[in-house]
Amino acid sequence: AQKITQTQPGMFVQEKEAVTLDCTYDTSDPSYGLFWYKQPSSGEMIFLIYQGSYDQQNATEGRYSLNFQKARKSANLVISASQLGDSAMYFCAIRLRFGAGTRLTVKP
Amino acid sequence: DTGVSQDPRHKITKRGQNVTFRCDPISEHNRLYWYRQTLGQGPEFLTYFQNEAQLEKSRLLSDRFSAERPKGSFSTLEIQRTEQGDSAMYLCASSLAQDYGYTFGSGTRLTVV
């Protein structure tokens, strides 16, 4: 079974700065995909970025990038140039399972 | 395409009643997922379908819960003999394949009184 750990219940970042949200996982699957989702206070869940376990390069999608360290079983999300609209819950997911989430607050 | 549609948006029911929720996925997506989410928690996996086949079901899905996707298009989730602990947001999502991000619906909020 897969297990996802997000150790930061809450994070604060100053507007325009970068922030890293941590995610570690445990899986016995030889090949897997890692996902990050954003859930603003309005409630809708939005897919942000995907990383395949055999991808040679870290995934990037606009201001989002994944710091993927396979040996450490870590897939941290980096948000660059934070905006007020980035304030939300962020969830890491692997094969059907989601972590408990990190609440990010961007301060003006 | 209007995305993933869930109906109803809200449902209030008395304890012991049965409820059924519907999910219409994006038409070309063959995978459909059901999750339950309570306030401040991550989505909790319930079950998923590939086309009409139910491929995995969580042990959390007790015998009071059942899901169907009869023609590989829309899906229904039924909860029988509802309990107060069933109060939650029920989320449906769909995806094109395993390594594609999910598109979520807006959810059905269930309140059991």
Side-chain angles (χ1 to χ4, degrees), chain A residues 38 63-64 79-88 90 104 106:
Chain A
K38 172 185 179 181
R63 293 186 299 110
Y64 304 109
I79 306 175
S80 63
S82 297
Q83 302 172 356
L84 295 177
D86 294 335
S87 293
Y90 288 82
L104 176 67
V106 180

Side-chain angles (χ1 to χ4, degrees), chain B residues 32-56:
Chain B
L32 185 148
Y33 312 84
W34 285 100
Y35 286 85
R36 179 172 69 185
Q37 188 177 28
T38 52
L39 199 61
Q41 302 297 314
E44 186 177 44
F45 171 72
L46 295 177
T47 189
Y48 94 95
F49 294 84
Q50 182 162 310
N51 300 312
E52 65 274 13
Q54 187 173 22
L55 294 188
E56 192 166 331

